[in-house]
Every structure is written in C-alpha cells, then in structure tokens.
Amino acid sequence: MRLAIVGDFDSANPNHPATEKAVAHALDATGKEAQTSWVPTTALERDPATLLDGVAGVFLTTGSPYRSLEGALAGIRQARLTGLPFLGTCGGFQHVVVEAFRNVAGIADAAHGEYDVDTANHVITPLACSLAGQTMSVHLAAGSLVADAYGTTTAAERYFCQFGLATEYRDRLDETGLVPSGTDDDGEVRVLELRAHPFFLATLYVPQATSTPTHPHPVIKAFINAAAAED
C-alpha cells in the first residue's frame, strides 16, 4: 500500500515529523503495512493524476500557506473525484473548504485569506481568536464518519491554526457537498466530511500532534483502514 502525504516538508515544523510518526503509529495499531512519500504542493500543480496514481490514500497535512495553493487544491480535487481516501488537517481543512466552494459550489474566486487579500469571496478568514496552542472540546455528530472513528461524540483536540471557515459561508456549506460533523463549544465548525465518498474527512485541529505509539489517533487509524480497504 502506498500513501501520499501532501505538503511542503519542513523539519522545523514539528507537525511534519509528527505526521510521519502518527501514520506509523496507526499502521502498527491496525497491522497494516505501507510506503509513505511526501508529495510537494508545487508538483501537484502540474500533474496530480500522475503523481497520485496508485496511491491508496492522501493525507494533506499542516503547513499553510503552502508553496502552491493551486497544487494543494489539485490534490484535494483528485482525491474527491476519484474516491481516494482523504484526510486533511489544519491547513488541509482550510483548503478543502476553498476547493469545494470553487469546484463544487461554483464560486470561482473563493479564496483563502492567508493568500489573497483582494477577493470579495474569502471563504477562509482569520479566526476571531487564534486557536494556536489551544486544546479544546470537539462535539461530533452521532453517526458521522468522525464519530464512528472515535467511538464517541466528544473529544479534546489540539489546534495550531489562526484561520477557519468564514461565518458568512457556514450556511452555504450545503452547496459544496461538505457536511459539518464536528463543532466546538460555540458551534463553530471544526470537522467536515464528504458523505458521498468512501472516506473524506477534514479537521481544523491536528490529530497527529497527540498521537503516540500506545495511543495512536483514532482519526488517523480510520484513514489507514479506509486506505487499506481501497488498496
């Protein structure tokens, strides 16, 4: 089994080595074997179909702003359209929102506020209060993909982000096919999933940050199991 970790690897970003370790924890826990490789966003901009051909799953990890916004969106689109199991965390969540509003909802200039300050359609904007370094409760919708992964409807998760879904676009998510399946104590969207897909999940928090060999993160385990099922 081959897995693609999409992002622009930086050893100084603690969540990048943590991503590799968390995948290894989940593989050990599930008894699966896989080869993992990093796929730069700049490469995906050119030819996502070839680069992701033969992989069993796509993990879009932290690191926004990515070196190539278009490359990150191309990787998401490829996974969405081909049914590849997909997991996006932190920046991955944010770019899932942009891709869906652009390519499903038809808002061609849907943008991420960290890249483009001029467009009128910022679907990702600065949070009222930064979540960087915070651990907060997440409430998971019963029967959702993410709740099934945890086996519960509440969790405490760690964040590293300063951007999230723009408030004015919350009520337009139904145009994208994305379903909010996790919220914080204030009802803000923290997890999204695409129900018309074998496994497509995005979390604004960073599950890989809290994974350990003895307690592999359930979301990453679910991603590994989905990838193995599709392989």
Side-chain angles (χ1 to χ4, degrees):
M1 179 167 72
R2 292 172 50 215
L3 300 172
I5 301 176
V6 174
D8 307 308
F9 182 78
D10 180 359
S11 59
N13 180 337
N15 287 320
H16 285 179
T19 298
E20 295 178 330
K21 292 176 182 177
V23 169
H25 301 159
L27 287 168
D28 287 344
T30 58
K32 306 295 191 297
E33 294 183 357
Q35 293 180 336
T36 59
S37 58
W38 283 81
V39 179
T41 57
T42 49
L44 281 168
E45 188 176 68
R46 297 189 296 272
D47 192 359
T50 298
L51 282 174
L52 298 178
D53 182 43
V55 304
V58 176
F59 188 159
L60 179 55
T61 190
T62 63
S64 180
Y66 299 114
R67 291 175 189 164
S68 172
L69 166 66
E70 297 302 329
L73 299 184
I76 296 166
R77 184 173 186 272
Q78 184 70 15
R80 178 175 59 79
L81 292 178
T82 62
L84 272 176
F86 174 88
L87 175 62
T89 63
C90 197
F93 172 104
Q94 297 161 13
H95 288 71
V96 159
V97 172
V98 176
E99 194 278 329
F101 273 108
R102 282 192 184 183
N103 298 321
V104 181
I107 303 175
D109 63 346
H112 190 307
E114 200 168 13
Y115 295 86
D116 183 351
V117 296
D118 297 322
T119 181
N121 285 307
H122 282 150
V123 296
I124 295 294
T125 53
L127 297 165
C129 296
S130 171
L131 296 178
Q134 295 194 50
T135 299
M136 300 176 66
S137 296
V138 185
H139 306 281
L140 311 172
S144 65
L145 185 67
V146 68
D148 288 348
Y150 282 92
T152 184
T153 56
T154 57
E157 292 292 352
R158 191 174 179 189
Y159 293 82
F160 291 82
C161 59
Q162 301 182 59
F163 286 79
L165 174 65
T167 303
E168 60 267 34
Y169 285 93
R170 165 70 185 266
D171 292 338
R172 297 187 64 179
L173 279 174
D174 59 340
E175 300 174 35
T176 70
L178 295 171
V179 178
S181 56
T183 57
D184 67 8
D185 288 340
D186 296 321
E188 297 295 330
V189 178
R190 300 299 181 236
V191 185
L192 290 165
E193 56 190 68
L194 192 61
R195 297 241 172 111
H197 191 284
F199 186 97
F200 192 102
L201 187 61
T203 68
L204 193 61
Y205 55 83
V206 182
Q208 57 267 46
T210 55
S211 179
T212 68
T214 53
H215 293 91
H217 199 283
V219 164
I220 301 176
K221 284 172 58 180
F223 167 69
I224 294 298
N225 283 326
E230 292 294 316
D231 186 39

